[in-house]
Amino acid sequence: MTTLRDGLLLITLTALALLLTLLPLPEPIMPLRPAWPLLVLSAWAMQRDPMAVLPLALAAGLMLDAVRGVTLGLHGAALLLPLAATMQWRAALRTMPLWQASIAAGVLFLLHALLLSLLDALTGEHSLRSAHWWAIPVSLLLWPLAVLLLRPAPVAKSPG
């Protein structure tokens, strides 16, 4: 984190992502809810300082687990692996055109859905299994916008 302002922005965006995740939706559109925490945190890890993303993802995942009453660590684990991959591929993702980076992000959203489904099955949690899968295309459509919005402002050079 380069500044306190960046840190507060990341925490605020993560809190907003959690609220959007927990916001009640009508039953027919509930499966279309994007993977908000992964969307925000992966775009942040790609565009800005990625070091605070993993601890914040774990904390956000634990909060989701506690609020939803599921096994603690389920959402945190499902967030950590795709975000660690984002951090690993960060340099490559930043050099790709946005449409190619979006395809790579689709792999991250697919991994997230696979992990949630696998962990749901292993822990015996009963969730809408299709909700994990419909979140992939919706998240993928929103990901380029998140990346563009989280680009750091260019640093103005002083005349000299």
Side-chain angles (χ1 to χ4, degrees), residues 94-151:
R94 291 180 68 152
T95 60
M96 292 179 186
L98 191 56
W99 69 271
Q100 285 179 344
S102 296
I103 293 170
V107 173
L108 298 174
F109 293 117
L110 177 63
L111 179 61
H112 181 252
L114 283 169
L115 286 170
L116 280 176
S117 294
L118 176 67
L119 292 171
D120 280 350
L122 289 175
T123 59
E125 301 295 338
H126 301 290
S127 67
L128 296 173
R129 303 237 186 265
S130 65
H132 303 315
W133 304 110
W134 282 108
I136 297 169
V138 177
S139 299
L140 192 54
L141 289 173
L142 293 172
W143 194 79
L145 180 63
V147 168
L148 291 173
L149 289 175
L150 289 176
R151 276 194 177 148

Side-chain angles (χ1 to χ4, degrees), residues 18 37 56-66 71-77 79:
L18 288 173
L56 195 55
L58 183 60
L62 289 173
M63 283 186 238
L64 275 175
D65 294 337
T71 305
L72 282 179
L74 187 116
H75 286 94
L79 282 172

Side-chain angles (χ1 to χ4, degrees), residues 1-95:
M1 241 59 46
T2 56
T3 65
L4 178 61
R5 192 169 124 212
D6 278 354
L8 291 175
L9 178 62
L10 177 58
I11 291 170
T12 302
L13 289 173
T14 305
L16 182 61
L18 288 173
L19 286 174
L20 288 171
T21 300
L22 297 171
L23 184 73
L25 293 175
E27 194 67 36
I29 64 171
M30 196 166 342
L32 299 176
R33 182 190 318 261
W36 288 112
L38 181 59
L39 182 69
V40 168
L41 292 171
S42 65
W44 185 278
M46 185 179 144
Q47 290 294 344
R48 299 196 175 215
D49 182 17
M51 294 314 297
V53 169
L54 292 181
L56 195 55
L58 183 60
L62 289 173
M63 283 186 238
L64 275 175
D65 294 337
V67 170
R68 289 189 170 162
V70 297
T71 305
L72 282 179
L74 187 116
H75 286 94
L79 282 172
L80 285 177
L81 192 59
L83 288 171
T86 302
M87 292 172 63
Q88 182 70 32
W89 300 336
R90 182 175 188 247
L93 286 170
R94 291 180 68 152
T95 60

